[in-house]
Amino acid sequence: MEKRELIHEMLKKIEGGRSVAAAYLGMSDIKFNNRLYESKGCRFFSVDELLALQSLSQSSLVAEYFAERSNTLVVPMPEPDTLDNVELYHMGLRSNVTGSAVDELILGSIQDDGGIDRKEEEKIMAAHRQHMASRDSQVKATLRVYGRKKSDSNKTQHSG
């Protein structure tokens, strides 16, 4: 994703779009557009402004943008208040579905013409990142639900 595409994706998630985003940053629509397209001598948005837009869009798109450029992965932390066995089961299902989507993309690309082109590779890697994030979230959630502090496990071991 390119930096302008990042802004456009966040704008899709902001109710009221560009005008609301511009107002949130304390600028006019014209200044916002000049910053977006780096026209009239304007620089692109600062990291702080990007993070403000990420917050407004209730997304992790900025983190994902920079993670992709660093060849790293963004993994949302599970919310402790919502974790139970049912949620863990649903997380497992989501992880399986996202993993299957990666395999489906790989198979489809190979069956199509015997190879994987750059565009197909980008789609596969995006799906793979989604799968790894899903799986990581599932494991961390399981550890939160079933994890015990060392003092708790010592009590269990010595109470028998």
Side-chain angles (χ1 to χ4, degrees), residues 69-140:
R69 274 147 189 73
S70 305
N71 201 26
T72 58
L73 182 66
V74 173
V75 181
M77 293 300 291
E79 294 294 327
D81 296 341
T82 63
L83 296 177
D84 59 17
N85 286 333
V86 173
E87 181 58 21
L88 290 177
Y89 176 73
H90 288 204
M91 292 175 94
L93 290 175
R94 281 191 292 274
S95 180
N96 290 337
V97 167
T98 57
S100 295
V102 174
D103 295 338
E104 189 175 331
L105 285 169
I106 291 170
L107 181 61
S109 296
I110 293 170
Q111 285 181 334
D112 184 38
D113 60 6
I116 299 173
D117 64 27
R118 185 76 179 139
K119 192 169 188 157
E120 291 168 329
E121 180 182 335
E122 288 173 5
K123 283 183 179 180
I124 291 166
M125 288 308 298
H128 176 63
R129 282 190 296 277
Q130 196 173 22
H131 174 241
M132 290 295 99
S134 175
R135 177 67 177 143
D136 188 80
S137 207
Q138 176 194 8
V139 169
K140 287 177 180 170

Side-chain angles (χ1 to χ4, degrees), residues 4-131:
R4 286 188 188 113
E5 187 181 350
L6 167 65
I7 299 295
H8 289 292
E9 289 301 313
M10 284 193 289
L11 291 175
K12 290 178 187 175
K13 296 179 178 289
I14 297 171
E15 192 172 327
R18 189 176 306 236
S19 295
V20 170
Y24 189 74
L25 296 177
M27 59 181 73
S28 68
D29 286 358
I30 292 170
K31 185 174 181 181
F32 186 93
N33 286 335
N34 288 342
R35 297 286 289 280
L36 176 60
Y37 296 104
E38 298 174 278
S39 58
K40 299 187 180 181
C42 290
R43 62 176 172 72
F44 195 72
F45 300 96
S46 70
V47 172
D48 288 337
E49 290 167 331
L50 291 173
L51 291 173
L53 291 174
Q54 176 178 261
S55 177
L56 182 62
S57 68
Q58 299 178 356
S59 71
S60 58
L61 289 167
V62 174
E64 293 167 16
Y65 173 83
F66 285 111
E68 186 177 316
R69 274 147 189 73
S70 305
N71 201 26
T72 58
L73 182 66
V74 173
V75 181
M77 293 300 291
E79 294 294 327
D81 296 341
T82 63
L83 296 177
D84 59 17
N85 286 333
V86 173
E87 181 58 21
L88 290 177
Y89 176 73
H90 288 204
M91 292 175 94
L93 290 175
R94 281 191 292 274
S95 180
N96 290 337
V97 167
T98 57
S100 295
V102 174
D103 295 338
E104 189 175 331
L105 285 169
I106 291 170
L107 181 61
S109 296
I110 293 170
Q111 285 181 334
D112 184 38
D113 60 6
I116 299 173
D117 64 27
R118 185 76 179 139
K119 192 169 188 157
E120 291 168 329
E121 180 182 335
E122 288 173 5
K123 283 183 179 180
I124 291 166
M125 288 308 298
H128 176 63
R129 282 190 296 277
Q130 196 173 22
H131 174 241

